[in-house]
Amino acid sequence: MSTSVRRTELPLTVRTPTHEPRNRRRRSSPGRAPATKLFLILPSVVILILTNAYPIAYAAFQALHNGSLISPGEFVGVDNFAKVLADPAFWRAAGFTAVFAVAGVFGSWIIGIAIALLLRTRIPAKGLLKTILLLPWVVPIVVSAMSWNWLIGTSSSPVPTIIHALGFGDAIFLSDPLGAQITVCLFEIWVNFPFMMLMMSAALSSVDESIYEAAKIDGASARQQFRYMTLPIIAKPTYISWVLMAIFCVNDFPTVYLLTHGGPVGATNTLVVLAYKTVFQNFQTGPGVAIAFLMTLALAIVAVLLFRQIRKSTSQ
Amino acid sequence: MTTPAPVHTSKKEEAMKNLLPPTAMSRRGFLALTGAVTLTASVSACAVGGGNASASGGSTVKFWDMPWGDKNYSDAAQSLAQAYKPGDGMPGVSYQQVNWDGFNQTFSSAIASNTGPAVSTGGGFQAFQFAKQGAISYADNLIDSFKKDGTYDDFLPHTLDAMKTSDGYVGIPWNLDVQVFWYRKSILDQIGATPPQSWDDVLDVAKKASAKGYVGFGISGGSGNYGPMAVLSLMINNGGGLFNSNGDLDIVNDRNAEAVDFLTELVRQGVVDPGSVSMKDDDLTTLWTNKKVALGFQSPAFNNVVGDEKDVLVTDPLKSHRGEVGGLYYVNNIMMYKNTPSQAGSEAFTSYYIKNMKTLWQKGVMQGLPALKSITELPEFKANAQNTAVVEKWQPICKTTAAQSSALTAKLATIDGGQAMTDFCQTVLAGKTPSKTILTKLESDIKAAIS
């Protein structure tokens, strides 16, 4: 038994010294080192500014004007924001965006971590399984959306046909508002769970198996090991993956647009789709860009909250 | 089982700190990165630089064209454009095809960055939209030259008038998209029905076809514009429309309500595919091609599109419950832009294209009707008997999206293919909402969109 205890402590004590000198080196690095690093980062920063700063600044300009993509129009201050915030369609889209993001983040995370844990066990053809499981993430989203459309899009698609043949009536997933909402959320989970699986696999791979052995010896059940050991250990990468996935989901234009175009009757409009439609279908550039800015603000707040959780998880 | 001793807690925290690579990113840095990534992704998509990019084309007139016909259209149109021989000192022409998907974005972005075309085809109201934004070069000089050489008199009635605004002609008509009613003869023969002549007939035939497992009335309310165009066709058929004769919005009226009620009745009788609300236009075309649909609105030469020239046929204009006839059509046009290496060059090419476009119909690659009478009289055009029926029976009784007004304006570009009409069509096809409620919502949505 004592052996097990030593095994438990081994990774904790062995790894610590390896970090200390590195930290010391980083703190005592000469003044030229940061400049060198800055110099190395500079090209990327310059390119980023050139390619993104101007469009963002111009978008801010457009959000405060009532022009079009071609002509700037008159300065209207925050009228576009007021107009957007008074529009029920905006709040419907905001609500569905929240649902879509929560479903996408937690749905893909639950499936991702479950599979990551499963892949830590002894199962045959693990490499092949991993490769297959990565496919939804690797395949271009346009191809995936077209495939789903082919499977469920019309009453004569394979899945509705089978359901009808089994006597369950007409199952037209994308024609019913609730059905369409559930479908796009499921699609989002399906496309993104491999990313979560990879993140969680990477996090779990750094955990030494011996601490689980020690826990087993102490009588911890599998559920308790997961609750009191696995989850706290992978907390930081989990929060980071949540932040990234939240950004992915909120900004995910192709999933909704390719599957439903935001329909039926706007039921699956997310903010990014609504912004696109406002600009390019209704030709209301100012309000459309205002939607994008409000979306960014909301996402930044979510990111702040999650980042606080990351800090908490590392400082406890 | 007791909770593991606190030692585990401290150990696991210690372990986590050591096993996971330390992050070198500060909170501020992370937030900055998050903000940058998000803002870039969401805002850049909507932002188009208004900078001074190089002027269009240099020494060539850039001609952008849409896919107006079957798979051979693009090659035929490109050949026609490339056969243009510019006069002395005039620029040549380059041809580029633009997809319908996201075409508004494509044109708007290009025009905003001064990289757009000098001449183009496009959406039926695109010229009005860009004229309002100051990007269109009016075609009055070209119209004057057509008056002198006789081309002016060759245009079908009302087509040139449809292009006229208080500032001038925004474009030159070249093809007409008439929404006509089609039926599949073999299905009607099988159910012992004759081609419908009225709304009552449509319901009767569609019910019989549905009883045999066919889609009685084909309509697609998902992506694309077929669905909204079909609903608007029925409204105009009944003497209604989106505007009154003064050009003011007039949507909540009995005529429109009767049209919506008729369509709702088709839905409730089960003659419309239950997936129509989300059905895409291509899916509907596939259903027609697979001989699953009995009736429905489509564009001219649709029988060529589905490869069934003898079995997919045009009905006579339908009589509504009020005994009215009418339909919807679009005057598609060639427009010229201010951003051109030579306005004279743009006009010379446009004139050439209009006067030589008959080859597109002679080759049988076009889906729309020609805007020139002389082309409708060509034997190659008349070879498809349905074309003649459309020209003679449907085109004269059709009106534009502006009905019951005749003045086309920039706001029609927002309405046609816009979110308001899509939501309207999908609500009708859901079959659960009273017609006046749907129409009231449509009016308020359109008001918001064009305000």
Side-chain angles (χ1 to χ4, degrees):
Chain A
M1 301 308 118
S2 59
T3 314
S4 300
V5 172
R6 276 202 303 276
R7 274 187 196 163
T8 307
E9 291 173 351
L10 190 64
L12 312 182
T13 50
V14 166
R15 286 171 183 261
T16 306
T18 62
H19 285 292
E20 288 307 317
R22 268 191 223 151
N23 291 341
R24 273 204 300 276
R25 265 204 305 277
R26 189 162 44 242
R27 278 197 299 271
S28 62
S29 58
R32 215 171 54 181
T36 307
K37 290 172 187 171
L38 192 65
F39 180 75
L40 291 170
I41 291 170
L42 203 60
S44 301
V45 173
V46 169
I47 290 167
L48 198 69
I49 288 168
L50 287 175
T51 55
N52 292 320
Y54 175 72
I56 290 170
Y58 191 70
F61 173 86
Q62 286 175 312
L64 301 172
H65 288 72
N66 72 341
S68 66
L69 287 171
I70 295 169
S71 53
E74 296 169 4
F75 178 78
V76 293
V78 294
D79 281 7
N80 288 326
F81 290 90
K83 183 180 178 181
V84 163
L85 290 169
D87 184 0
F90 170 80
W91 294 107
R92 273 203 311 274
F96 181 66
T97 303
V99 170
F100 183 68
V102 167
V105 170
F106 294 106
S108 61
W109 178 71
I110 289 165
I111 294 171
I113 195 169
I115 294 172
L117 287 166
L118 196 68
L119 289 171
R120 278 170 63 85
T121 61
R122 287 183 184 176
I123 48 171
K126 198 186 286 188
L128 179 66
L129 269 176
K130 263 189 181 177
T131 308
I132 291 168
L133 287 166
L134 278 175
L135 281 178
W137 194 49
V138 173
V139 170
I141 203 159
V142 175
V143 177
S144 299
M146 293 293 284
S147 304
W148 275 55
N149 260 321
W150 178 79
L151 282 169
I152 63 169
T154 67
S155 53
S156 53
S157 296
V159 174
T161 303
I162 291 165
I163 290 171
H164 188 82
L166 292 172
F168 293 106
D170 291 319
I172 316 298
F173 300 93
L174 301 179
S175 290
D176 172 66
L178 181 62
Q181 288 175 337
I182 292 168
T183 302
V184 294
C185 287
L186 288 175
F187 182 88
E188 189 72 358
I189 292 166
W190 183 74
V191 165
N192 289 316
F193 85 81
F195 169 79
M196 285 295 196
M197 182 187 80
L198 282 180
M199 289 284 287
M200 295 303 105
S201 291
L204 289 167
S205 68
S206 63
V207 182
D208 198 298
E209 283 291 336
S210 59
I211 62 171
Y212 288 100
E213 289 170 22
K216 277 182 196 169
I217 291 162
D218 286 343
S221 67
R223 192 182 62 82
Q224 287 170 321
Q225 287 173 44
F226 179 74
R227 167 74 180 80
Y228 295 106
M229 294 170 62
T230 306
L231 278 183
I233 288 170
I234 63 167
K236 188 175 173 181
T238 294
Y239 291 137
I240 291 170
S241 69
W242 285 358
V243 173
L244 291 173
M245 188 55 67
I247 293 169
F248 292 161
C249 290
V250 172
N251 286 323
D252 186 358
F253 175 80
T255 289
V256 170
Y257 199 76
L258 292 170
L259 278 177
T260 64
H261 278 252
V265 200
T268 57
N269 267 340
T270 55
L271 286 172
V272 69
V273 171
L274 185 68
Y276 175 87
K277 287 178 175 179
T278 306
V279 173
F280 293 111
Q281 281 192 340
N282 290 353
F283 308 117
Q284 296 175 322
T285 309
V289 178
I291 291 169
F293 272 109
L294 290 168
M295 188 180 94
T296 303
L297 180 68
L299 197 52
I301 291 167
V302 171
V304 168
L305 294 174
L306 284 170
F307 196 82
R308 280 185 178 172
Q309 281 300 118
I310 294 169
R311 290 187 74 207
K312 263 188 205 172
S313 72
T314 54
S315 62
Q316 275 172 349
Chain B
M1 166 66 205
T2 55
T3 305
V7 68
H8 283 292
T9 310
S10 60
K11 293 276 187 221
K12 66 137 198 279
E13 292 297 347
E14 199 64 31
M16 194 182 72
K17 284 179 185 174
N18 292 326
L19 295 174
L20 295 171
T23 178
M25 192 183 285
S26 68
R27 176 168 173 252
R28 192 179 298 168
F30 180 81
L31 286 177
L33 179 65
T34 302
V37 168
T38 310
L39 196 69
T40 300
S42 59
V43 174
S44 295
C46 296
V48 178
N52 296 321
S54 61
S56 166
S59 60
T60 60
V61 167
K62 285 202 281 185
F63 176 51
W64 287 12
D65 192 23
M66 316 303 293
W68 289 104
D70 65 15
K71 61 183 185 298
N72 299 314
Y73 169 81
S74 176
D75 289 342
Q78 187 164 2
S79 299
L80 175 59
Q82 287 175 342
Y84 171 64
K85 298 281 185 290
D88 285 347
M90 290 286 189
V93 167
S94 64
Y95 178 91
Q96 182 178 327
Q97 186 149 111
V98 176
N99 285 329
W100 281 114
D101 195 21
F103 78 101
N104 278 323
Q105 180 183 350
T106 306
F107 277 96
S108 296
S109 305
I111 291 165
S113 59
N114 288 328
T115 56
V119 179
S120 85
T121 61
F125 310 109
Q126 184 176 312
F128 296 89
Q129 175 202 349
F130 289 137
K132 189 184 174 189
Q133 295 171 3
I136 289 290
S137 183
Y138 289 93
D140 294 46
N141 287 340
L142 196 50
I143 297 290
D144 287 342
S145 74
F146 285 163
K147 284 177 180 172
K148 288 173 189 166
D149 65 18
T151 308
Y152 184 90
D153 299 321
D154 197 14
F155 283 93
L156 287 169
H158 313 303
T159 53
L160 274 168
D161 292 342
M163 296 292 101
K164 199 169 185 178
T165 68
S166 56
D167 295 315
Y169 290 91
V170 295
I172 307 290
W174 80 285
N175 88 69
L176 312 177
D177 182 3
V178 184
Q179 290 298 295
V180 295
F181 205 68
W182 294 85
Y183 68 98
R184 186 172 276 281
K185 186 175 181 298
S186 56
I187 294 179
L188 268 61
D189 289 346
Q190 187 188 338
I191 61 175
T194 54
Q197 297 184 324
S198 67
W199 288 5
D200 288 335
D201 292 347
V202 169
L203 181 57
D204 183 48
V205 172
K207 277 162 77 175
K208 286 178 181 171
S210 295
K212 292 281 184 183
Y214 296 106
V215 175
F217 183 88
I219 183 168
S220 52
S223 70
N225 211 15
Y226 287 2
M229 288 194 298
V231 186
L232 190 51
S233 294
L234 288 169
M235 284 158 62
I236 295 171
N237 187 168
N238 200 37
L242 300 176
F243 300 89
N244 61 23
S245 55
N246 297 325
D248 301 318
L249 273 182
D250 180 18
I251 295 173
V252 189
N253 59 54
D254 289 342
R255 290 174 182 270
N256 288 342
E258 286 162 16
V260 171
D261 286 339
F262 169 63
L263 197 44
T264 303
E265 180 64 15
L266 292 175
V267 173
R268 287 179 181 161
Q269 292 287 344
V271 305
V272 171
D273 188 292
S276 290
V277 174
S278 60
M279 188 185 289
K280 294 174 173 58
D281 292 351
D282 289 347
D283 294 330
L284 180 59
T285 303
T286 302
L287 284 174
W288 271 98
T289 306
N290 294 338
K291 305 186 179 184
K292 303 269 188 190
V293 184
L295 307 168
F297 283 100
Q298 288 289 346
S299 299
F302 183 64
N303 54 347
N304 287 342
V305 173
V306 298
D308 242 334
E309 203 172 304
K310 297 283 188 284
D311 196 34
V312 177
L313 308 174
V314 174
T315 69
D316 288 348
L318 301 170
K319 283 192 171 67
S320 71
H321 291 327
R322 288 176 180 250
E324 303 259 10
V325 291
L328 172 69
Y329 86 127
Y330 294 82
V331 183
N332 294 313
N333 49 87
I334 299 181
M335 59 210 86
M336 297 179 289
Y337 300 83
K338 286 180 178 174
N339 182 35
T340 175
S342 158
Q343 180 56 31
S346 291
E347 289 178 9
F349 170 72
T350 306
S351 176
Y352 157 84
Y353 202 83
I354 292 288
K355 289 171 182 173
N356 292 277
M357 66 186 184
K358 62 176 178 286
T359 61
L360 301 175
W361 280 272
Q362 285 172 319
K363 290 177 181 177
V365 298
M366 279 296 299
Q367 198 177 349
L369 295 183
L372 298 180
K373 283 180 280 190
S374 58
I375 300 177
T376 66
E377 289 156 8
L378 290 171
E380 295 92 339
F381 180 80
K382 287 184 171 179
N384 182 346
Q386 307 315 302
N387 284 342
T388 308
V390 175
V391 172
E392 292 176 357
K393 295 176 180 175
W394 281 87
Q395 197 266 329
I397 54 108
C398 279
K399 293 178 178 175
T400 68
T401 307
Q404 292 293 324
S405 165
S406 57
L408 302 187
T409 58
K411 61 189 172 191
L412 296 177
T414 305
I415 295 168
D416 181 53
Q419 196 53 38
M421 286 299 289
T422 303
D423 287 356
F424 165 63
C425 175
Q426 289 176 341
T427 309
V428 173
L429 291 177
K432 295 171 184 171
T433 314
S435 54
K436 287 283 173 81
T437 307
I438 301 174
L439 291 166
T440 303
K441 173 80 164 49
L442 174 64
E443 186 158 309
S444 110
D445 285 352
I446 287 180
K447 268 182 189 165
I450 63 178
S451 63

